[in-house]
Amino acid sequence: METSYTTAGLGSGAYHRLDIADVVRSYGIDSVQHRIKQLHVNGMHYAATAIERELAAAQLTEPAEIYPRSA
C-alpha cells in the first residue's frame, strides 16, 4: 500500500498531520506568506485566512486583518 503525504516526504507516519511550523521550517516564512498572498489574489480568502490564523495561533506571525484596509 502506498502512503501519500501532504508535503513531499515530511510526514513521519501514515497519519502524521503536518502543522504550520513544519511547513515554515521546510519552506520558510517568506514562501508561506507568498502563498497566502497568492490565495487572496485568486479569491481564495477562506483558505488564506485559515493559514493566517494557524500562523498566529502558533505564534509565528502577528494576527493579520482578514481584509486589509485600502490606502
Side-chain angles (χ1 to χ4, degrees):
M1 182 169 132
E2 186 176 320
T3 302
S4 176
Y5 297 103
T6 306
T7 306
L10 289 177
S12 62
Y15 300 104
H16 176 76
R17 182 186 181 277
L18 296 173
D19 66 8
I20 195 67
D22 294 326
V23 176
V24 170
R25 250 189 312 278
S26 295
Y27 296 97
I29 192 69
D30 292 336
S31 293
V32 174
Q33 290 174 335
H34 178 73
R35 181 62 180 142
I36 292 168
K37 288 177 187 175
Q38 287 178 324
L39 290 168
H40 277 302
V41 166
N42 290 314
M44 303 175 98
H45 302 293
Y46 183 83
T49 300
I51 296 169
E52 290 169 338
R53 288 181 180 161
E54 196 169 344
L55 284 170
Q59 299 180 346
L60 296 171
T61 62
E62 293 295 318
E65 290 184 40
I66 294 174
Y67 298 102
R69 296 181 194 133
S70 54

